[in-house]
């Protein structure tokens, strides 16, 4: 399948919600009956972006920024107040049924599995209702069993699955009809390390090998950086950044974490670094390598006594983005 073309196009989208206001005292209740009050919330404000076929895009932002609202608009679950949306060349509010036959949607806190039935029965239900051809279904179920390790889950009732098992089963169910585009809202939410690793590896594999377009939201920025090639940052209902993760780091000055392990000596003196933590002879510094070249940094370290080990890493993306949120407020 070619990577040419646009999978998602969002143009000047605004989404406004009305929240009815209520008071608990008698006077307030009477006032609400006579003159109901409502608060207007702007979830998205003139948002525009596009995603090419075959891209893996992270969609990030603080709570209430508009991430889930955007995903629901793309899936046709909500309609925009203003603007236009195209998903796989179709309009979600007018051609939702056609879109859903080519789209996969997974919300981390919800499930499509039948709670009181074996997982396999939910899969068979989707095959019939979605009219998935037999050969496509058999090919996909075989692939998903192998790649997601769900063979031992098929006869298990959905209510008896752990969170990690349920997420793998939900992901498999979402992919049974070979969607071209998948929307994932917090897919790693609450997963343990092993289950998260399986989820991330699988998503990267189907994006790379099957050219599946993926848009994913998560509060775990390290997960997003590992999965996606591009990140869209939204805050206050507006797109604040669209580009690479390295570009985000450049905005903050290319922060780097330097970990120095000492042999019983005091912390090394670094004029170019800020000590952020220390324990049991291990000292962690924050250094801006855009201002202080690595060569200069290593020269300072070479003059210190008692150094056993030095490790240099990029600053956690969580720290980078937390700093940006402060600037964008």
């Amino acid at each position: 399948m070619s990577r040419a073309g646009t999978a998602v196009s969002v143009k000047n989208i605004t989404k406004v919600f009305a929240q009815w206001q209520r008071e608990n005292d008698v006077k307030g209740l009477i006032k609400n009956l006579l003159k109901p009050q409502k608060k207007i919330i702007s979830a998205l404000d003139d948002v525009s972006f596009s995603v090419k076929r075959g891209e893996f895009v992270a969609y990030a932002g603080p709570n209430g920024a508009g991430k889930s609202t955007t995903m629901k608009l793309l899936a046709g679950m909500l309609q925009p107040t203003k603007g236009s949306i195209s998903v796989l060349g179709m309009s979600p509010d007018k051609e939702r049924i056609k879109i859903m036959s080519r789209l996969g949607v997974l919300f981390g806190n919800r499930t499509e599995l039948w709670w009181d039935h074996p997982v396999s029965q939910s899969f068979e239900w989707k095959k019939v209702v979605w009219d998935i051809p037999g050969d496509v279904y058999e090919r996909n179920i075989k692939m998903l069993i192998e790649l997601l390790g769900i063979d031992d889950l098929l006869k298990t009732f959905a209510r008896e699955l752990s969170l990690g098992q349920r997420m793998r089963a939900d992901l498999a169910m979402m992919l049974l009809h070979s969607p071209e585009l998948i929307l994932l809202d917090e897919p790693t939410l609450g997963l343990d390390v092993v289950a998260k690793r399986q989820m991330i590896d699988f998503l990267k594999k189907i994006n790379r090998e099957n050219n599946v377009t993926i848009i994913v939201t998560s509060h775990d920025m390290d997960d997003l950086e590992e999965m996606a090639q591009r990140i869209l940052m939204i805050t206050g209902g507006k797109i604040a950044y669209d580009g690479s993760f390295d570009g985000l780091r450049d905005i903050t000055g290319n922060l780097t974490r330097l970990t120095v392990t000492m042999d019983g000596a005091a912390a090394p003196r670094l004029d170019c670094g800020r000590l952020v933590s220390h324990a049991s002879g291990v000292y962690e510094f924050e250094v801006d390598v855009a201002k202080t070249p690595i060569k200069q940094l290593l020269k300072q370290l070479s003059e210190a006594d008692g150094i056993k080990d030095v490790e240099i890493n990029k600053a956690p993306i969580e720290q980078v983005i937390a700093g940006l949120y402060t600037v964008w407020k």
Side-chain angles (χ1 to χ4, degrees):
M1 187 184 295
S2 171
R3 284 183 175 262
T6 300
V8 171
S9 176
V10 174
K11 295 182 179 179
N12 307 114
I13 286 295
T14 294
K15 180 60 181 177
V16 174
F17 293 98
Q19 292 183 347
W20 292 101
Q21 304 298 293
R22 296 287 186 269
E23 297 184 41
N24 291 326
D25 57 73
V26 175
K27 183 179 179 180
L29 290 172
I30 294 174
K31 180 181 177 181
N32 286 334
L33 287 173
L34 297 175
K35 191 177 180 180
Q37 301 291 316
K38 63 181 178 181
K39 182 180 179 181
I40 302 301
I41 303 295
S42 180
L44 297 173
D45 184 9
D46 197 31
V47 168
S48 297
F49 65 86
S50 64
V51 176
K52 295 179 181 178
R53 290 180 183 271
E55 275 197 284
F56 198 142
V57 178
Y59 194 55
N63 288 331
K67 302 186 301 296
S68 294
T69 297
T70 303
M71 301 293 260
K72 290 175 182 177
L73 286 167
L74 295 178
M77 299 165 67
L78 294 174
Q79 295 185 8
T81 305
K82 294 180 182 178
S84 63
I85 299 175
S86 173
V87 175
L88 301 173
M90 296 174 281
S91 171
D93 60 330
K94 297 178 181 177
E95 301 172 277
R96 189 184 180 200
I97 294 178
K98 288 183 179 180
I99 289 176
M100 290 307 295
S101 68
R102 298 166 60 188
L103 176 70
V105 181
L106 178 63
F107 289 87
N109 57 351
R110 299 180 184 177
T111 183
E112 284 190 88
L113 300 171
W114 288 8
W115 206 238
D116 293 315
H117 295 271
V119 170
S120 60
Q121 194 162 339
S122 294
F123 289 0
E124 291 290 339
W125 169 85
K126 182 169 183 176
K127 176 181 181 293
V128 173
V129 174
W130 285 60
D131 196 25
I132 302 173
D135 60 333
V136 173
Y137 178 82
E138 292 301 328
R139 182 182 69 243
N140 285 345
I141 197 71
K142 182 179 179 180
M143 175 193 70
L144 293 166
I145 286 174
E146 179 182 351
L147 295 179
L148 287 172
I150 59 171
D151 192 24
D152 59 340
L153 305 182
L154 296 179
K155 296 180 181 180
T156 305
F157 282 55
R159 67 170 184 267
E160 297 174 348
L161 300 175
S162 69
L163 178 58
Q165 291 173 329
R166 197 208 79 201
M167 289 298 295
R168 280 187 286 145
D170 267 317
L171 182 60
M173 186 165 177
M174 180 192 67
L175 296 169
L176 286 174
H177 63 295
S178 300
E180 302 168 43
L181 166 67
I182 61 177
L183 308 176
L184 304 169
D185 194 7
E186 298 286 352
T188 60
L189 185 67
L191 298 186
D192 61 34
V193 175
V194 174
K196 184 183 292 190
R197 180 77 268 147
Q198 289 176 320
M199 174 77 75
I200 291 174
D201 288 346
F202 181 77
L203 293 175
K204 290 167 68 175
K205 182 180 180 67
I206 62 172
N207 169 253
R208 181 179 64 253
E209 298 182 3
N210 298 350
N211 200 37
V212 176
T213 307
I214 302 176
I215 303 176
V216 57
T217 77
S218 176
H219 283 92
D220 192 322
M221 306 310 287
D222 290 330
D223 287 353
L224 291 181
E225 185 176 25
E226 183 177 355
M227 287 188 283
Q229 300 97 24
R230 171 187 169 198
I231 181 170
L232 282 162
M233 297 288 300
I234 185 169
T235 182
K238 293 179 176 291
I239 299 295
Y241 176 82
D242 180 359
S244 68
F245 285 88
D246 285 341
L248 273 179
R249 295 179 185 279
D250 290 341
I251 291 174
T252 60
N254 204 1
L255 295 178
T256 296
R257 285 295 176 93
L258 174 70
T259 304
V260 181
T261 303
M262 304 297 293
D263 186 12
R269 180 179 176 183
L270 286 180
D271 297 333
C272 55
R274 181 177 69 88
L275 182 64
V276 293
S277 70
H278 63 90
S280 304
V282 179
Y283 299 86
E284 188 174 35
F285 295 87
E286 180 181 277
V287 181
D288 186 347
V289 295
K291 297 178 180 178
T292 305
I294 293 293
K295 184 177 180 180
Q296 179 182 338
L297 180 62
L298 294 177
K299 184 177 183 299
Q300 284 196 34
L301 287 172
S302 68
E303 297 170 352
D305 294 325
I307 293 180
K308 293 175 60 179
D309 186 48
V310 175
E311 184 177 347
I312 301 176
N313 295 296
K314 292 181 179 179
I317 195 66
E318 295 274 1
Q319 176 194 351
V320 173
I321 290 175
L324 291 175
Y325 286 160
T326 303
V327 173
W328 289 337
K329 282 183 179 179

